[in-house]
Amino acid sequence: MSETVYIKTDKNIEVSKRMVLIGDVADVYCNDKKMENDIKHICLIILDEVGVNKIKKKRVCLSFMDIVKAVAKKYPDADVNNLGENDFIVDYILEKKHSKFLQGLLIAFVAAFTFVGSMYAIMAYNNDVSTIEIFEKVYEIFGADNAQQVKLLEIMYAVGLALGIIIFYNHFAGVRLSGEPTPIEVEMDKYEKDVDDTLIDRKSKTEQKGKKA
């Protein structure tokens, strides 16, 4: 009697070793725990070495059929069921130690670059919409002196702008304002999904051309 095996894979999996086991890329469940453990330790693929020519990452597109074939070699009668993705990406990333000094220097550079760029963008926007002239008109409407030492509108505008940015990005000084992902994280997630889908589509087209040839 054949055993039923349930396997679930995500669309993108990161690994740090060349020999990739099924358990490294998928969740496996079977009533026979020995069989489940054996399947987790079946070698799915041995990736090419990275680190040559300064390449630190390799992406490989695999399909659920690759898992089925690997399982069938050891358990020909196993009934393998897919609960995840039909095609998925394996990212082989070479682990390397980062210098804390260089990492801190890079963070400082990015922070300064972002600050200057944001400051320029805000100044350019204020100049385009004539923010200063608008404030002068508001002071004039309410009969306030535009040459006053403490300009309340400018202060409120600056504070409101800062609060708006913090609330929009849902992040400040390493602290999240809520459990929801930030807009940047959402966009990065969309970008990664688009990249994965493109790699999978390209692999499918290549395989189709190979069959036709």
Side-chain angles (χ1 to χ4, degrees), residues 123-156:
M123 291 172 62
Y125 170 78
N126 289 335
N127 183 63
D128 288 342
V129 300
S130 303
T131 304
I132 296 176
E133 294 180 9
I134 294 174
F135 288 160
E136 290 176 353
K137 292 292 184 182
V138 174
Y139 285 131
E140 184 179 339
I141 291 172
F142 286 95
D145 185 8
N146 187 44
Q148 57 187 310
Q149 291 183 350
V150 179
K151 294 190 176 183
L152 185 60
L153 284 179
E154 281 81 347
I155 295 175
M156 293 176 61

Side-chain angles (χ1 to χ4, degrees), residues 5-51:
V5 182
Y6 297 96
I7 295 179
K8 181 178 182 297
T9 59
D10 293 326
K11 180 164 286 188
N12 189 289
I13 306 101
E14 291 186 358
V15 298
S16 57
K17 56 183 181 180
R18 293 181 60 198
M19 181 179 289
V20 181
L21 310 180
I22 292 179
D24 295 329
V25 300
D27 294 325
V28 181
Y29 176 78
C30 180
N31 288 328
D32 186 338
K33 297 305 175 183
K34 181 181 181 304
M35 181 177 177
E36 176 183 314
N37 186 64
D38 288 343
I39 292 175
K40 287 181 179 179
H41 288 83
I42 293 176
C43 178
L44 181 60
I45 188 174
I46 298 179
L47 301 172
D48 296 334
E49 185 65 78
V50 296

